[in-house]
Amino acid sequence: MNISQESDAVRPRARGTERSLARRAELISIGRKLFSDTSYDALSMDDIARQAQVAKGLIYYYFQSKRGYYLAIVHDSVADLVTFAASGLELQPVDRVHRTIDGYLRYAEHNQAAYRTIVSGGVGFDAEVQAIRDGVREAIVATIAEGAYGRVDVSPLARMGLFAWVCGVEGATLDWIVRPRISRDVMRELLVKTLGGAMRAIEEIDPACPAPAPARRDG
């Protein structure tokens, strides 16, 4: 399941006219700012309504619950991340990889609470947040595979190697936003180098999936 396919499950159905859609989008934009560095449990609906300067009933009208509101916010911000990762097709593969990883780190840096929620799978066992996380993982794997191998449909071994790298990126990024002792530029270069290592390992096990020139030790 990708981000677009799961959108109906994650995002409550909008009601009414274009004005209603605009109002809903405005509430999501406000919520993205409120929850950027604040965890789900730290804000009550009263807190949200007060800081957003709207009636609490308006949030319930559009999102049915606090959880529905939060899921809509997370989905909206993650959709931006996935769209960014999938774009940049005019760039050279190595430049696109740098751009994708930098965008990923920027998202985590500026949406720390949401990023922790996504990577951890949500509050308790939250299937909808886990679906969002899985969609992000698959989008990043697809972007890297397309840049490295010229196609999204790669062998199971290559996909697993890239998937393992993405999971490692999640853990490293979680630690980095808590203890940002190195700059984003250095963090990006570190992740690019470890991606090269993953690709060389894939090639070693499966020569049918050669690492691209920039990932080779002699490249």
Side-chain angles (χ1 to χ4, degrees), residues 70-198:
Y70 189 64
L71 284 173
I73 292 163
V74 170
H75 184 277
D76 186 74
S77 61
V78 167
D80 288 347
L81 174 63
V82 171
T83 299
F84 181 82
S87 64
L89 294 175
E90 74 283 358
L91 300 173
Q92 291 295 317
V94 66
D95 294 328
R96 191 179 179 206
V97 167
H98 278 76
R99 177 180 178 274
T100 297
I101 296 175
D102 189 73
Y104 183 92
L105 292 173
R106 285 178 183 271
Y107 173 81
E109 188 177 21
H110 297 294
N111 300 272
Q112 294 188 18
Y115 183 79
R116 291 190 191 95
T117 296
I118 296 164
V119 172
S120 67
V123 182
F125 184 83
D126 194 319
E128 289 176 321
V129 175
Q130 289 180 346
I132 294 173
R133 179 198 61 195
D134 292 346
V136 172
R137 286 176 174 172
E138 292 299 336
I140 300 298
V141 167
T143 296
I144 300 300
E146 188 174 29
Y149 305 112
R151 62 189 190 278
V152 173
D153 184 19
V154 295
S155 71
L157 187 143
R159 180 196 169 278
M160 183 57 69
L162 297 179
F163 186 82
W165 173 80
V166 169
C167 292
V169 167
E170 290 176 352
T173 302
L174 276 176
D175 187 78
W176 175 68
I177 61 177
V178 173
R179 289 180 285 273
R181 296 171 182 170
I182 60 176
S183 68
R184 186 177 65 250
D185 288 344
V186 171
M187 184 67 174
R188 181 190 65 238
E189 292 305 311
L190 175 62
L191 296 179
V192 169
K193 294 292 186 184
T194 60
L195 175 59

Side-chain angles (χ1 to χ4, degrees), residues 32-52:
R32 285 181 64 164
K33 295 176 183 177
L34 291 177
F35 283 108
S36 61
D37 292 313
T38 306
S39 69
Y40 175 86
D41 292 328
L43 287 174
S44 68
M45 283 294 278
D46 287 331
D47 294 330
I48 294 167
R50 182 172 59 256
Q51 294 190 46

